[in-house]
Amino acid sequence: MATIFDVAREAGVGIGTVSRVLNGSPLVSEATRQRVEDAITRLRYRPSSVARAFGRRRTERLEVLVPHFVEPFFFELLMGIEDALADADSEYSLHIRAMTDAADRDRVLGECCRKNNVDGVLVLWTPPTEGFVKRLERDRVPAVLVNASHPSLPSVAVDHDRSAAQAVEYCARIGHRRIALVDRFIDPFGQSGAGACQAGYRAAMSVAGAPVVAGYERVVPLTAESAAEAVTHLLEMPEPPTAILVGSDVQAIGALQAARARGRQVPRDLSLVAYNENSVSRYLGLTTIRVPLRVLARQGLQLLLQRVQEPNLAASVTYLDTELVVRGTCAPPRA
Amino acid sequence: MATIFDVAREAGVGIGTVSRVLNGSPLVSEATRQRVEDAITRLRYRPSSVARAFGRRRTERLEVLVPHFVEPFFFELLMGIEDALADADSEYSLHIRAMTDAADRDRVLGECCRKNNVDGVLVLWTPPTEGFVKRLERDRVPAVLVNASHPSLPSVAVDHDRSAAQAVEYCARIGHRRIALVDRFIDPFGQSGAGACQAGYRAAMSVAGAPVVAGYERVVPLTAESAAEAVTHLLEMPEPPTAILVGSDVQAIGALQAARARGRQVPRDLSLVAYNENSVSRYLGLTTIRVPLRVLARQGLQLLLQRVQEPNLAASVTYLDTELVVRGTCAPPRA
DNA sequence: TTGTAGGCGTTATCAG
DNA sequence: CTGATAACGCCTACAA
């Protein structure tokens, strides 16, 4: 394998010049640059990324933290990440860590950057713990959140409240007034706390002049089972909802199963709006709030790369728009 | 950050000794090892993985090549990969590249290892092209195939023929004789060639004494649409099959849609056996051939790590067993 | 605008 | 068993 020395010799210059050419420095005359580049092609030289990382005192590695429930749409996220890496044609490679539950989350956040040295961390769909944030700050490891937020960390996210509002507005427009919410906790591992879409749901209900009946808001753990149970409860109410907004795709499946189990036909007897796009929702023909997964991940990674280069940027928050995809699970309520 | 020199000074030894301790060499006396390890904890020393890679003349990076259709089960594969990395507690990080179609496959295979230096390549669900194999051999880059095969490359795979046989046997056992096959080409990007399960299907049909009716074998492109079309054709035959084995999960969805569109109820009018396990098949309650995705990926990566260390191992082929998961899409044929 | 020299933190190779 | 020392291939001053 040719090294930078070979190229320098071949081009009749010093290695410093070759290095400058390699890194696109303006401090090289056009003629010299040309000669160096010729030498590079002639020798089929390619710089060693490891030696580069070593010299730059970087690792050229990023860590990606994902909760397990992203499984149905993780591929899209990954494509977004690869998009961003390709854009920047960087040599970064990835350490991907999944978190199965709250205990595992704590373990993974605790180990993050410890064993493996990384230049930055991308946290997907998971509110970071305080200890984790502190440690990142102490160790000067830049991090970016995707679809999560923290006061001192930059993030790219969809506005869950606005998305919920989109769904409620749509249901109201086609005639529903008894609209319920089956939501997940903001923290995907959480067993309590506010729902991810709750505020938006309330606001939109109030705008639509629809009453938020007691018991219509059900914030439950992020599993199909919990959602199924919640829907069952809703359907057993004296005044059951005619439409339900479900805050995650995993829960949407549970909701469908529960409706089916109670003999309700969707959308004839019950309208459903689901969340995210994946093979299930597409196959099932769910009316859905589409989250721009690929773009979300891409922008998150771009932001991270930026901060790897300039660690002192202020924490920014970017919101991306969701889109309501109308398919077959909503219909006007029956008189 | 403490370096190996600091540790050596602290422990009163040479850096060579520290390095030996770090790498678990037996050539260190117990007493010395202890002193070094104490120094390490005292100094909170952690070796720089980049410097390690540099010194070892490795990149500690692997490239993972995936066809786009693995999307529904990619997360499982990734978990298997991470399992293997954790087992070996290696510092390897990943470059993941998706291939959307045949042209993209050629591009990706062509670029593989070129831009990014990697220690090895894991190829998932994609038969490699000859040129690709040649280049890997020339550049001495070890590669392992997962669910694909090539005479000169090691691989870990499920035996599609045996899996198909499992499905056929099951259908025959519950009384079917008119059993058809909707299969994908061995090459997921292919538009022709043999089907992945075709041989097994034929063999099992012959064992079961069931006739392979002309037109019962339909090897079609790996899309829901193609599969739907194939099923429609099958259902329009004068003697339509009573059971269909579908060679991939993507195609299974198309098959279900086609059956639904032709007014056939599954499993009352038509039995279906699908392939792979994912959220769709679980939700839909498909009777399915379960492929041990996580184990497959894990063993593939283990094999790759082995070959990174000892590049001269002979190419081996390992087969893993599939399992027939009986759920709700098969029933005895109606008299 | 260019060349030179020093440094980065390991591993590996030798003597001892 | 152990310690010294030479790579490893690049980046980055600094000097010219």
Side-chain angles (χ1 to χ4, degrees):
Chain A
M1 209 60 245
T3 75
I4 201 172
F5 288 95
D6 302 319
V7 177
R9 181 156 25 79
E10 176 83 10
V13 299
I15 61 163
T17 302
V18 179
S19 177
R20 266 165 242 139
V21 171
L22 251 29
N23 295 290
S25 156
L27 305 171
V28 191
S29 77
E30 195 42 50
T32 316
R33 175 186 309 282
Q34 203 45 255
R35 269 194 303 147
V36 172
E37 274 170 355
D38 288 351
I40 287 176
T41 22
R42 221 159 23 228
L43 266 45
R44 283 192 186 69
Y45 164 77
R46 283 176 314 128
S48 148
S49 49
V50 177
R52 278 194 133 158
F54 186 48
R56 285 176 180 151
R57 257 125 271 193
R58 297 230 221 96
T59 64
E60 312 267 277
R61 274 183 218 162
L62 302 176
E63 193 150 358
V64 179
L65 270 27
V66 294
H68 203 283
F69 88 101
V70 302
E71 154 161 19
F73 52 89
F74 182 69
F75 195 80
E76 276 301 298
L77 295 174
L78 192 59
M79 291 305 95
I81 291 174
E82 294 294 329
D83 286 347
L85 292 179
D87 288 353
D89 71 3
S90 56
E91 297 277 293
Y92 281 92
S93 56
L94 267 25
H95 277 293
I96 300 168
R97 308 253 179 256
M99 303 170 280
T100 56
D101 53 36
D104 200 40
R105 186 255 324 267
D106 295 340
R107 189 183 58 75
V108 170
L109 291 190
E111 285 175 4
C112 174
C113 319
R114 281 205 194 291
K115 248 188 101 160
N116 310 289
N117 323 24
V118 294
D119 293 339
V121 183
L122 192 72
V123 183
L124 302 175
W125 263 257
T126 314
T129 59
E130 281 307 322
F132 177 64
V133 175
K134 287 256 164 51
R135 195 158 59 72
L136 290 181
E137 272 168 7
R138 178 166 60 74
D139 297 352
R140 300 273 160 88
V141 181
V144 166
L145 307 178
V146 174
N147 239 18
S149 75
H150 184 97
S152 56
L153 254 26
S155 66
V156 182
V158 297
D159 185 338
H160 281 99
D161 291 336
R162 245 185 59 76
S163 341
Q166 282 182 323
V168 169
E169 276 161 26
Y170 173 71
C171 290
R173 194 160 59 242
I174 62 175
H176 291 275
R177 293 190 38 88
R178 305 218 302 270
I179 305 169
L181 171 71
V182 172
D183 202 0
R184 63 179 184 89
F185 301 110
I186 290 177
D187 176 356
F189 302 119
Q191 300 297 317
S192 65
C197 307
Q198 210 171 0
Y201 164 77
R202 284 187 191 174
M205 287 296 275
S206 140
V207 167
V212 176
V213 177
Y216 266 23
E217 293 175 296
R218 304 208 163 245
V219 185
V220 298
L222 189 35
T223 64
E225 292 70 35
S226 304
E229 204 181 313
V231 168
T232 304
H233 282 306
L234 285 170
L235 294 179
E236 280 171 349
M237 289 176 73
E239 291 250 309
T242 58
I244 303 179
L245 164 58
V246 186
S248 77
D249 46 3
V250 173
Q251 290 173 318
I253 290 185
L256 273 171
Q257 287 172 323
R260 191 164 60 183
R262 308 296 298 181
R264 300 299 203 288
Q265 276 197 29
V266 175
R268 204 196 52 182
D269 309 317
L270 179 68
S271 287
L272 279 181
V273 182
Y275 221 87
N276 281 344
E277 271 286 291
N278 58 45
S279 13
V280 184
S281 54
R282 265 190 301 272
Y283 169 71
L284 296 173
L286 298 184
T287 292
T288 284
I289 292 170
R290 176 187 286 152
V291 176
L293 298 165
R294 190 159 176 165
V295 180
L296 217 43
R298 178 186 193 144
Q299 295 204 9
L301 204 88
Q302 282 172 341
L303 197 53
L304 183 57
L305 291 180
Q306 233 177 66
R307 302 184 78 83
V308 168
Q309 307 227 296
E310 322 189 38
N312 302 328
L313 291 176
S316 65
V317 180
T318 308
Y319 284 111
L320 297 185
D321 280 339
T322 52
E323 181 192 354
L324 185 73
V325 183
V326 174
R327 280 190 288 233
T329 49
C330 287
R334 291 202 289 170
Chain B
M1 207 65 241
T3 77
I4 200 172
F5 287 95
D6 302 319
V7 176
R9 182 159 19 82
E10 176 84 10
V13 299
I15 61 164
T17 301
V18 179
S19 178
R20 262 165 245 138
V21 171
L22 251 29
N23 295 289
S25 157
L27 305 171
V28 191
S29 76
E30 195 41 50
T32 315
R33 175 186 309 284
Q34 204 45 255
R35 268 194 301 144
V36 172
E37 275 170 354
D38 289 350
I40 287 175
T41 22
R42 217 155 31 225
L43 267 47
R44 282 192 186 69
Y45 164 77
R46 284 175 317 127
S48 146
S49 51
V50 176
R52 278 193 131 156
F54 186 50
R56 285 175 177 148
R57 255 124 276 188
R58 296 230 220 96
T59 63
E60 311 267 279
R61 274 182 219 167
L62 302 175
E63 191 149 358
V64 178
L65 268 27
V66 295
H68 203 283
F69 88 100
V70 302
E71 154 162 19
F73 51 90
F74 182 70
F75 196 80
E76 274 301 296
L77 296 173
L78 192 58
M79 292 303 96
I81 290 174
E82 294 294 329
D83 286 348
L85 292 179
D87 287 354
D89 71 4
S90 56
E91 297 278 293
Y92 281 93
S93 55
L94 268 23
H95 277 293
I96 301 168
R97 307 254 179 255
M99 303 171 281
T100 56
D101 53 37
D104 199 41
R105 186 256 324 268
D106 295 340
R107 188 183 58 76
V108 170
L109 291 189
E111 285 176 4
C112 174
C113 317
R114 282 206 195 288
K115 247 188 103 159
N116 310 289
N117 323 21
V118 294
D119 292 339
V121 184
L122 192 71
V123 183
L124 302 176
W125 263 256
T126 313
T129 59
E130 281 308 321
F132 177 66
V133 176
K134 287 257 164 53
R135 194 158 58 73
L136 290 181
E137 272 168 7
R138 178 167 59 74
D139 297 352
R140 299 274 159 86
V141 182
V144 167
L145 307 179
V146 174
N147 239 16
S149 75
H150 183 97
S152 56
L153 254 25
S155 65
V156 183
V158 297
D159 185 338
H160 281 100
D161 291 337
R162 247 186 56 77
S163 343
Q166 282 181 323
V168 170
E169 276 162 26
Y170 173 72
C171 290
R173 194 160 61 242
I174 62 175
H176 292 275
R177 291 189 40 85
R178 305 218 302 270
I179 305 169
L181 171 70
V182 172
D183 202 1
R184 63 179 185 90
F185 300 110
I186 290 177
D187 176 355
F189 303 119
Q191 300 297 316
S192 66
C197 307
Q198 209 171 2
Y201 165 77
R202 283 186 191 175
M205 286 297 274
S206 138
V207 169
V212 176
V213 177
Y216 265 25
E217 292 174 298
R218 304 209 163 245
V219 185
V220 297
L222 188 33
T223 63
E225 292 70 35
S226 304
E229 203 181 316
V231 169
T232 304
H233 282 307
L234 285 170
L235 295 179
E236 280 172 348
M237 289 175 75
E239 291 249 308
T242 58
I244 302 178
L245 164 58
V246 186
S248 75
D249 45 4
V250 172
Q251 292 173 317
I253 289 186
L256 273 171
Q257 286 171 324
R260 190 164 61 181
R262 309 294 296 180
R264 300 299 203 289
Q265 276 195 28
V266 174
R268 203 195 53 180
D269 309 317
L270 178 67
S271 287
L272 279 182
V273 181
Y275 220 87
N276 281 343
E277 271 285 292
N278 58 46
S279 14
V280 184
S281 55
R282 265 190 302 271
Y283 169 72
L284 296 173
L286 298 183
T287 292
T288 283
I289 292 170
R290 176 186 288 154
V291 175
L293 298 165
R294 189 159 178 165
V295 179
L296 216 42
R298 177 186 194 146
Q299 294 203 12
L301 203 87
Q302 283 171 341
L303 197 54
L304 183 57
L305 290 179
Q306 234 176 66
R307 302 185 79 83
V308 168
Q309 307 226 294
E310 323 189 37
N312 301 327
L313 292 176
S316 64
V317 180
T318 309
Y319 283 110
L320 297 185
D321 280 339
T322 52
E323 181 192 354
L324 185 73
V325 183
V326 175
R327 279 189 289 232
T329 49
C330 287
R334 293 200 291 171

